[in-house]
Amino acid sequence: MSQLSPPSSYSASGHTPTCAGTPGDPLVVPRAQESSSLMVDGRHVHYDVRGDPESPAVVLVHGARAHRGWWHAVLAAGLADSLRVVTFDLAGHGLSDPHDDYSPAGWAHQVAEVVRQVAGGRCVVVGHSMGGLVTYATAALHPDRVSRVVTFDSKVRIPTPHGGAKVRGIPGKPLRPYATRDDILDAFRLLPPQPWINPAAVRHVAELGIVERDGAWRWRFDPAIAQRFCDDEVARHLRDLSCPVDFFHGAESTLVSHETVRDADVMVGGLFTSAAIPGGHHHLVLDQPELVRDAIIGAVERDRASQRRAGA
């Protein structure tokens, strides 16, 4: 297993850092140059694009029950200063339409279409939490669309003889409506819970994840999404990868352990590199946005260097 150096200062890579705000300040997120939707399997998938069209493209995939706004803290930290950043809502999340195929293959097809139709055809794809598992599936099933995989705190494990086919994740169940906007925002909780995160960042993702409908306030995600991943399928996707994988995890994460990193290395093999995000917990995109920004920029730079070597 190769070890990446932990992400360091943004300015060390020749960039000028953009202030992500002090604790309690609202996030200042760059305006999207393009905010639209595309059709995938007859359903709308909503996306935003930020950054110079001439810069390298990267597609960001959010986690379960989240939405594209979960990447806003990383964008507020300046990710789009040097990259063309595409964020989007997976089916059943955010503003994208619900779907009858909440499967790794179904979500992977959506990612591949976003890459094809919005990001130029092939690029680095980045996933957080469940979004990392979707990214593995995309790279395995659509290798022509993904030049490099980058994941943040995505739990994988080697299947056991009797438990590999068991579907794991958050169980689906009906969601209660809330009488007022304040009521639903007060009920918002991070899963898994973790120590202090900038409350402005948490409030921001909560506000973007709710909607008033039928006289009540509700979460935007479809409760039927319940994660549809089993260890056998994830392991197959990892073993089928033909592109490099940068596996980042929170040094303080309660979800991804040293055993997780070892298992991922065993399944991916020589294409795998890893690094811990200092001070990071599971929700790295909220609690360590500057280091996540640096990790993504570094991965894109490594990808471009690999392409230059291959073309030499």
Side-chain angles (χ1 to χ4, degrees), residues 192-206:
Q194 66 180 66
W196 186 91
I197 297 178
N198 182 349
V202 176
R203 178 83 175 191
H204 181 84
V205 298

Side-chain angles (χ1 to χ4, degrees), residues 48-126:
D48 294 334
V49 182
R50 294 173 174 84
D52 187 339
E54 300 301 316
S55 296
V58 61
V59 170
L60 310 182
V61 186
H62 63 74
R65 299 187 173 188
H67 49 76
R68 65 190 188 276
W70 276 69
W71 293 102
H72 281 179
V74 184
L75 286 161
L79 183 63
D81 290 353
S82 59
L83 299 176
R84 182 169 181 256
V85 181
V86 181
T87 56
F88 75 102
D89 294 327
L90 292 166
H93 298 76
L95 298 179
S96 291
D97 289 342
H99 206 288
D100 54 8
D101 180 18
Y102 294 135
S103 68
W107 279 320
H109 178 55
Q110 295 157 31
V111 178
E113 284 302 296
V114 170
V115 173
R116 184 180 73 84
Q117 298 187 45
V118 184
R122 191 168 191 262
C123 68
V124 175
V125 180
V126 181

Side-chain angles (χ1 to χ4, degrees), residues 1-311:
M1 173 173 57
S2 300
Q3 290 287 335
L4 292 166
S5 298
S8 54
S9 67
Y10 191 28
S11 57
S13 299
H15 304 284
T16 302
T18 299
C19 179
T22 57
D25 290 342
L27 292 183
V28 180
V29 184
R31 181 185 296 274
Q33 285 101 334
E34 182 181 355
S35 186
S36 186
S37 66
L38 56 93
M39 296 297 290
V40 182
D41 299 328
R43 293 170 172 82
H44 290 279
V45 173
H46 282 258
Y47 68 88
D48 294 334
V49 182
R50 294 173 174 84
D52 187 339
E54 300 301 316
S55 296
V58 61
V59 170
L60 310 182
V61 186
H62 63 74
R65 299 187 173 188
H67 49 76
R68 65 190 188 276
W70 276 69
W71 293 102
H72 281 179
V74 184
L75 286 161
L79 183 63
D81 290 353
S82 59
L83 299 176
R84 182 169 181 256
V85 181
V86 181
T87 56
F88 75 102
D89 294 327
L90 292 166
H93 298 76
L95 298 179
S96 291
D97 289 342
H99 206 288
D100 54 8
D101 180 18
Y102 294 135
S103 68
W107 279 320
H109 178 55
Q110 295 157 31
V111 178
E113 284 302 296
V114 170
V115 173
R116 184 180 73 84
Q117 298 187 45
V118 184
R122 191 168 191 262
C123 68
V124 175
V125 180
V126 181
H128 170 241
S129 192
M130 185 199 80
L133 307 186
V134 174
T135 300
Y136 298 142
T138 306
L141 301 173
H142 306 274
D144 56 327
R145 299 298 174 206
V146 183
S147 59
R148 191 180 201 95
V149 166
V150 183
T151 62
F152 291 95
D153 226 63
S154 296
K155 184 175 179 62
V156 299
R157 55 193 172 197
I158 294 174
T160 61
H162 304 292
K166 182 179 179 180
V167 176
R168 60 184 172 90
I170 304 170
K173 61 181 180 179
L175 300 173
R176 58 162 289 197
Y178 293 83
T180 70
R181 185 173 185 272
D182 286 342
D183 286 343
I184 193 169
L185 290 175
D186 288 344
F188 181 79
R189 298 290 186 275
L190 296 174
L191 291 175
Q194 66 180 66
W196 186 91
I197 297 178
N198 182 349
V202 176
R203 178 83 175 191
H204 181 84
V205 298
E207 289 177 338
L208 292 177
I210 61 175
V211 62
E212 187 177 20
R213 186 173 57 240
D214 299 330
W217 285 90
R218 307 172 189 274
W219 306 111
R220 283 193 181 275
F221 64 82
D222 182 353
I225 61 170
Q227 291 187 26
R228 307 296 178 88
F229 295 86
C230 65
D231 292 338
D232 284 344
E233 187 172 25
V234 174
R236 184 170 64 252
H237 292 155
L238 286 168
R239 289 175 175 136
D240 287 347
L241 293 178
S242 58
C243 67
V245 175
D246 291 348
F247 185 99
F248 293 96
H249 59 100
E252 309 300 327
S253 174
T254 59
L255 190 66
V256 174
S257 64
H258 292 297
E259 288 72 22
T260 303
V261 179
R262 179 204 61 201
D263 285 357
D265 178 42
V266 168
M267 289 184 282
V268 176
L271 297 171
F272 180 84
T273 54
S274 69
I277 302 291
H281 295 261
H282 176 64
H283 303 286
L284 292 162
V285 296
L286 301 180
D287 68 37
Q288 300 293 337
E290 292 86 1
L291 294 183
V292 170
R293 170 203 64 198
D294 296 346
I296 295 172
I297 291 171
V300 172
E301 290 175 347
R302 286 189 293 279
D303 186 64
R304 297 187 74 193
S306 296
Q307 292 181 30
R308 287 192 296 268
R309 288 193 296 272

